[in-house]
């Protein structure tokens, strides 16, 4: 028979320590984790309060004035085209050429028609709602308001804001998505008061003389940013198409005072948007202000 192993004897002065939650060390560890979590929660709450509290630094900046909007637009034009406007051109372009809608905080699309009507004064019904084509007086396919947007979806969204103005004379959609150019040419053979589309399709229709500009009074440029921070003036391909359209067909009308531009969207500042910075150097700022 083999030898029996001697039973392990407990050293004197030591008592066995229980396992599980009754173990003091386990309790202290458990408490520490709980305290850490509570501390983290307190820190999160503190941070949330500091962000959402009444902090003057987090207040939105005031809307840009017509003068600031004009400076921004012209600086973008010069930067995109690699040109510098002459002092004669700058003197001709007044602040009054900007249709200011910046005071409408949030720029609700459904309130857009209010600003458009104000731009035409007492003649708004005649210019924007009449549907009769008057030969010799009203050129077919020549809108009074032209909306330029970065996408087909945005073009439609902006038209919804002018729905009551287009009941009698329907607006024309000028973009390539789901629409053939022949269909648009056919629609432009009638009286058109309001049209909305993307830069490339608008330019193509002007090039083939389907879209006229003889009645154009307001050019609405949608500069709202998308979820990625891009807008009509900063999204590379669309930006180039817009400035090509503007340079060829709208700039001279602006210089002559025959066209008003509505920058529909907040004017970006500093690094709040994608693309080149629009902060003007002191020399450029003085030149555009003079």
């Amino acid at each position: 028979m083999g030898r029996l192993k001697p039973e392990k004897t407990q050293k004197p002065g030591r008592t066995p320590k229980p396992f599980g939650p009754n173990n003091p060390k386990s309790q202290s560890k458990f408490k520490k984790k709980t305290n850490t979590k509570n501390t983290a929660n307190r820190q999160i709450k503190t941070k949330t309060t500091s962000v959402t509290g009444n902090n003057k630094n987090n207040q939105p900046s005031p809307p840009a004035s017509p003068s600031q909007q004009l400076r921004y637009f012209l600086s973008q034009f010069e930067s995109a085209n690699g040109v510098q406007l002459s002092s004669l051109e700058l003197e001709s372009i007044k602040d009054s050429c900007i249709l200011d809608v910046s005071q409408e905080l949030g720029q609700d699309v459904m309130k857009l028609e209010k600003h458009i009507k104000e731009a035409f004064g007492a003649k708004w019904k005649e210019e924007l709602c009449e549907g009769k084509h008057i030969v010799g007086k009203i050129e077919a396919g020549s809108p009074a308001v032209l909306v330029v947007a970065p996408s087909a979806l945005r073009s439609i969204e902006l038209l919804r804001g002018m729905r009551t103005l287009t009941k009698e004379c329907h607006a024309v959609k000028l973009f390539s998505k789901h629409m053939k150019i022949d269909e648009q040419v056919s629609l432009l053979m009638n009286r058109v008061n309001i049209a909305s589309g993307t830069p490339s399709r608008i330019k193509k229709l002007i090039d083939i003389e389907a879209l006229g500009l003889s009645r154009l009074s307001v050019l609405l440029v949608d500069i709202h940013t998308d979820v990625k921070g891009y807008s009509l003036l900063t999204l590379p391909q669309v930006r180039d198409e817009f400035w090509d359209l503007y340079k060829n067909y709208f700039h001279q009308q602006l210089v002559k005072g025959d066209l008003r531009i509505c920058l529909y969207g907040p004017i970006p500042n500093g690094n709040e948007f994608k693309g080149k910075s629009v902060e003007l150097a002191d020399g450029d700022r003085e030149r555009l202000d003079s």
Side-chain angles (χ1 to χ4, degrees):
M1 294 180 63
R3 293 183 181 181
L4 294 174
K5 292 183 180 179
E7 294 183 1
K8 290 184 179 179
T9 57
Q10 191 174 345
K11 292 182 181 180
R14 290 191 179 186
T15 55
K17 294 180 181 179
F19 294 99
N22 293 326
N23 189 328
K25 286 188 177 181
S26 300
Q27 288 181 358
S28 63
K29 285 180 182 178
F30 181 77
K31 286 180 181 178
K32 281 181 182 178
K33 287 182 180 179
T34 305
N35 292 338
T36 305
K37 189 174 182 181
N38 290 337
T39 305
N41 287 337
R42 284 197 298 271
Q43 289 175 350
I44 291 170
K45 287 180 181 178
T46 305
K47 286 181 180 180
T48 305
T49 305
S50 64
V51 171
T52 58
N54 293 327
N55 191 344
K56 291 183 179 180
N57 295 329
N58 293 325
Q59 290 180 353
S61 55
S65 66
S67 177
Q68 290 171 325
Q69 293 178 55
L70 181 60
R71 286 206 306 268
Y72 166 74
F73 184 75
L74 294 179
S75 68
Q76 286 286 285
F77 172 68
E78 291 183 321
S79 175
N81 292 280
V83 298
Q84 185 171 333
L85 296 175
S86 67
S87 56
L88 187 61
E89 284 179 299
L90 291 172
E91 286 173 8
S92 302
I93 305 172
K94 308 294 183 185
D95 292 350
S96 57
C97 74
I98 294 292
L99 175 59
D100 185 25
V101 297
S102 62
Q103 296 301 323
E104 187 66 62
L105 295 179
Q107 294 186 314
D108 185 359
V109 169
M110 301 315 293
K111 295 180 181 179
L112 182 57
E113 67 177 44
K114 169 192 166 187
H115 301 292
I116 298 300
K117 286 196 290 187
E118 288 174 355
F120 288 87
K123 293 184 176 181
W124 69 269
K125 275 190 177 181
E126 180 185 340
E127 294 292 330
L128 302 173
C129 301
E130 288 288 336
K132 292 180 180 178
H133 173 49
I134 306 172
V135 180
K137 185 178 179 182
I138 302 294
E139 181 187 349
S142 181
V145 177
L146 181 60
V147 178
V148 187
S151 67
L153 191 62
R154 184 62 180 166
S155 297
I156 295 171
E157 186 179 351
L158 291 168
L159 283 179
R160 288 197 187 105
M162 297 180 278
R163 187 175 291 169
T164 60
L165 300 176
T166 59
K167 288 181 179 179
E168 189 174 340
C169 184
H170 297 299
V172 178
K173 299 165 187 175
L174 309 176
F175 45 78
S176 58
K177 191 173 184 178
H178 305 311
M179 295 196 75
K180 295 180 179 179
I181 196 163
D182 292 340
E183 181 185 353
Q184 291 164 335
V185 169
S186 179
L187 291 170
L188 291 169
M189 289 179 179
N190 303 306
R191 174 168 176 163
V192 177
N193 296 329
I194 299 172
S196 178
T198 53
S200 59
R201 180 52 63 93
I202 290 173
K203 185 176 183 297
K204 190 168 186 178
L205 288 164
I206 298 174
D207 287 343
I208 63 175
E209 299 182 355
L211 178 64
L213 303 175
S214 62
R215 292 181 62 218
L216 188 62
S217 296
V218 174
L219 179 70
L220 190 147
V221 181
D222 178 42
I223 59 171
H224 274 86
T225 54
D226 61 17
V227 292
K228 293 183 179 179
Y230 287 104
S231 75
L232 177 73
L233 302 184
T234 58
L235 189 60
Q237 183 178 347
V238 177
R239 174 193 61 199
D240 296 342
E241 290 169 350
F242 170 74
W243 288 119
D244 186 36
L245 169 67
Y246 172 81
K247 181 174 60 176
N248 283 285
Y249 293 110
F250 303 130
H251 183 65
Q252 287 307 312
Q253 284 186 269
L254 187 74
V255 172
K256 291 175 183 177
D258 296 333
L259 180 66
R260 297 180 73 188
I261 290 180
C262 173
L263 296 179
Y264 194 70
I267 301 297
N269 52 34
N271 297 320
E272 292 180 2
F273 65 100
K274 302 281 185 181
K276 296 182 179 179
S277 173
V278 298
E279 290 295 322
L280 301 178
D282 292 339
D284 293 334
R285 191 179 299 279
E286 289 174 6
R287 186 171 60 83
L288 289 175
D289 283 338
S290 60

